[in-house]
Amino acid sequence: MEIDIRAVRRLRESAGARAAIAPIVEALTQSDADLAATRVVCDWIQYKANFRDTVMVRPVIAPQPVNTAPGFPAPAVIEGYELAVDLRRAARPETDVAAEVTAALADAAHVTGGTAAGDGGSGAAGGAGAPGDRVWLEPWVPGSGSCVWRFNALYWQALAAWEKTTGKEYEQTLPGGESDARNSAGAREVILDLFSSWDELSSRRALPEQLYVIELGVGNGGQARTWLDEFVELDRRHGRDYYRRLHYLMGDYSAHVLDRARQEVAHHGEHVSGLVLEATRLSGSVGFLAGKAFLVYISNVYDNLPSDEVAVIRGRMYLVQTRSYLAGPAAERVASRFGLGRAEIAQLTERLLRIGPELLAESQPDKFPDTGQAVLFWQAVWESLRQAERYVPLEGLDTYRITPAVTGEILRPLLASEGDVRMHVSNGALSSFADTLPLLHPFGRLVCHDLFTTSPGEYRAGFYGPGKYDGSVVNWVNGPLLQLLASRRGFGVRFSPFTPRPASNVKTMTAQIRD
């Protein structure tokens, strides 16, 4: 049996977490589990809202037989288990860790079976420990294909309805009640760097008449307003009249967010344009700016884009597959609250994700008399949503596609350097990043404030998502992977502390063409 304990600093600070380790081992030794084929991974999951139970079991699937007929895969064969423990919750006085381990092991056989959304949901209501008592919302899929990302997309598409129901704007639900990257000092630093580049080009008579700046992920418009107001003041002092030539393009996935941001910067008039766009497919929306953008400014976008995870276990590579569900007791509560049968939850959730809360209410008035009730159903399912996980062998990195244009081969140096490790692939962030680099002017730069890992080894020492914010998903971004992609395309990438708050988890990534 292998035991991997992560987040050493938190463990040293928590007597309860340290005390939980012995009951974990005791429960395992008293079980029927094959200890030689069992791994224990202990994380400190800092996100109070996340997709995991205190203890969960991840089956490790054996490779498929080489003689399997195409289109007729052999049934999944389990060759081992990984027992995953959240030490933060295990440290609570009310948590019976041994009972949690025993229940997770009893449930293990039910985690792998089934492929259709909704199956497994017709079992007895049971209690919290009833094995296999789950309402499945989807089949097994790679992490980036999970319905949690459809929930995430719905949150931004129907944000106005969500905020009306909660009575809060989304930034109030973030840690600290605001985005960590909204800061005038940071804007001032970026603007002065721009002025330096423009002065140099102007001295060569090479500065274009139109100066383009793009912001992706505009939030409530506060960052754009801060940036533009600082720009006007600094330009007045600088005396070069750059503001007259400035074109500031705001792009966001949410039309509601973009409308609010436009109001915030209305006093900058025709200098500002807004565009609803998909962050992972920029070329179709702003491809006309290829080679023209002097600054692409991104704040807290990449950590909100879909991501797979890959792992190396005992020298073999695996893709992490996930499967979303509601545990039996949670499903009972949702069904009772909205007058539903348990079997209806998966069907109505799928319909919600496809058409949104307003149309769901219109099409099912007997169940949701108005949009507000449909939103409450959405919120109840989201709050209770959990994910089962399993490891499926990756037979070759070159056969795995991170994006349509990038294969998993780019992961090889990261995975080869760390032994047994599990890390994000950051598919959405990598796609967005790759699509953004061509927009940059030769003197341009991409500046991104976000949650980045900066070395592969960090994944061996802590938990980096996914976590839940109010109605959206948050994942840290694999910074070394973005560096590798940029290097192959002639760009350099560096990471630095977020200047206004160096102790913050947010880091600043800067990308520009290498000299």
Side-chain angles (χ1 to χ4, degrees):
M1 181 172 65
E2 301 174 13
I3 301 179
D4 184 0
I5 302 174
R6 301 170 183 165
V8 174
R9 182 180 63 83
R10 294 291 184 95
L11 180 62
R12 287 175 173 167
E13 294 172 356
S14 173
R18 294 196 300 274
I21 294 172
I24 294 170
V25 175
E26 182 66 20
L28 276 166
T29 57
Q30 292 183 9
S31 73
D32 295 330
D34 180 359
L35 300 186
T38 302
R39 303 174 73 242
V40 182
V41 175
C42 299
D43 280 303
W44 185 287
I45 300 181
Q46 67 272 27
Y47 296 101
K48 293 183 179 179
N50 60 77
F51 301 100
R52 298 185 181 178
D53 292 321
T54 303
V55 180
M56 65 183 294
V57 171
R58 303 171 181 140
V60 180
I61 306 302
Q64 289 279 338
V66 294
N67 59 350
T68 299
F72 296 92
V77 176
I78 300 172
E79 64 178 10
Y81 291 99
E82 182 176 88
L83 188 75
V85 182
D86 175 9
L87 287 176
R88 180 181 62 82
R89 283 181 284 180
R92 294 173 177 171
E94 67 272 19
T95 301
D96 185 339
V97 182
E100 294 274 359
V101 170
T102 300
L105 291 172
D107 199 44
H110 301 273
V111 172
T112 300
T115 57
D119 71 329
S122 58
D133 185 22
R134 299 179 177 184
V135 172
W136 297 104
L137 301 181
E138 63 185 348
W140 286 107
V141 291
S144 64
S146 171
C147 70
V148 302
W149 297 106
R150 296 175 66 194
F151 273 100
N152 186 73
L154 179 64
Y155 177 73
W156 298 113
Q157 291 168 346
L159 182 60
W162 183 285
E163 290 181 337
K164 182 178 179 180
T165 302
T166 61
K168 294 181 180 179
E169 293 186 4
Y170 80 92
E171 285 210 345
Q172 294 176 271
T173 66
L174 298 174
E178 63 179 355
S179 169
D180 209 9
R182 309 289 191 246
N183 190 282
S184 58
R188 197 175 305 120
E189 180 181 15
V190 170
I191 293 166
L192 291 175
D193 281 344
L194 265 183
F195 285 179
S196 178
S197 296
W198 290 348
D199 289 348
E200 181 178 347
L201 286 170
S202 182
S203 69
R204 303 178 189 176
R205 300 182 181 276
L207 186 66
E209 175 60 25
Q210 296 179 320
L211 306 176
Y212 289 101
V213 170
I214 304 173
E215 181 184 359
L216 302 179
V218 297
N220 63 8
Q223 167 59 34
R225 176 170 186 153
T226 297
W227 199 95
L228 288 162
D229 289 351
E230 287 288 334
F231 190 100
V232 170
E233 177 61 23
L234 292 172
D235 187 47
R236 183 185 62 79
R237 298 180 194 173
H238 195 64
R240 290 297 186 96
D241 198 23
Y242 289 144
Y243 180 66
R244 176 183 60 82
R245 303 157 70 175
L246 179 69
H247 294 266
Y248 192 98
L249 177 64
M250 301 188 304
D252 202 279
Y253 182 69
S254 169
H256 174 67
V257 167
L258 196 59
D259 286 343
R260 195 159 59 195
R262 285 193 187 102
Q263 297 172 17
E264 192 72 13
V265 295
H267 58 295
H268 287 283
E270 295 182 356
H271 290 281
V272 182
S273 302
L275 185 65
V276 176
L277 50 77
E278 168 58 63
T280 59
R281 295 190 294 271
L282 297 177
S283 55
S285 302
V286 291
F288 65 93
L289 289 178
K292 297 180 181 179
F294 281 97
L295 172 67
V296 178
Y297 186 92
I298 308 174
S299 176
N300 302 118
V301 171
Y302 287 170
D303 65 355
N304 195 235
L305 297 177
S307 178
D308 289 343
E309 290 185 83
V310 293
V312 177
I313 301 174
R314 296 172 178 168
R316 182 182 291 167
M317 295 181 186
Y318 294 88
L319 178 67
V320 180
Q321 289 188 336
T322 64
R323 196 176 183 205
S324 298
Y325 69 92
L326 269 62
E332 289 293 336
R333 290 192 295 270
V334 172
S336 175
R337 179 179 176 184
F338 294 96
L340 307 174
R342 274 179 43 150
E344 294 181 280
I345 294 175
Q347 176 188 358
L348 289 170
T349 298
E350 171 60 29
R351 189 168 179 80
L352 166 73
L353 294 175
R354 191 171 67 251
I355 65 176
E358 184 175 356
L359 291 178
L360 179 64
E362 289 183 11
S363 64
Q364 305 270 195
D366 55 322
K367 303 182 187 303
F368 309 109
D370 54 40
T371 300
Q373 283 297 307
V375 172
L376 289 174
F377 171 73
W378 168 15
Q379 292 173 340
V381 172
W382 177 249
E383 181 182 8
S384 299
L385 189 148
R386 297 288 184 268
Q387 285 191 308
E389 298 178 356
R390 69 180 186 179
Y391 294 107
V392 177
L394 265 179
E395 299 304 332
L397 287 174
D398 58 334
T399 64
Y400 166 57
R401 292 213 163 265
I402 299 176
T403 75
V406 180
T407 72
E409 192 62 36
I410 196 173
L411 291 163
R412 190 172 299 280
L414 303 182
L415 295 174
S417 65
E418 295 301 325
D420 283 5
V421 69
R422 172 172 164 166
M423 66 176 60
H424 293 112
V425 181
S426 301
N427 310 66
L430 201 72
S431 181
S432 180
F433 183 63
D435 226 19
T436 302
L437 293 179
L439 302 179
L440 295 177
H441 183 277
F443 274 61
R445 68 188 64 183
L446 180 153
V447 176
C448 180
H449 303 307
D450 221 318
L451 297 168
F452 291 104
T453 61
T454 57
S455 72
E458 287 182 65
Y459 283 105
R460 294 175 56 83
F463 178 80
Y464 295 101
K468 289 184 189 179
Y469 282 164
D470 193 28
S472 63
V473 185
V474 58
N475 255 331
W476 287 51
V477 183
N478 191 330
L481 185 56
L482 268 61
Q483 281 182 312
L484 280 174
L485 178 74
S487 178
R488 294 184 178 188
R489 302 192 178 192
F491 288 80
V493 168
R494 69 177 187 274
F495 295 96
S496 57
F498 180 56
T499 303
R501 297 181 191 152
S504 167
N505 286 328
V506 172
K507 294 182 178 66
T508 298
M509 179 185 74
T510 304
Q512 56 193 129
I513 293 177
R514 287 196 300 254
D515 295 333

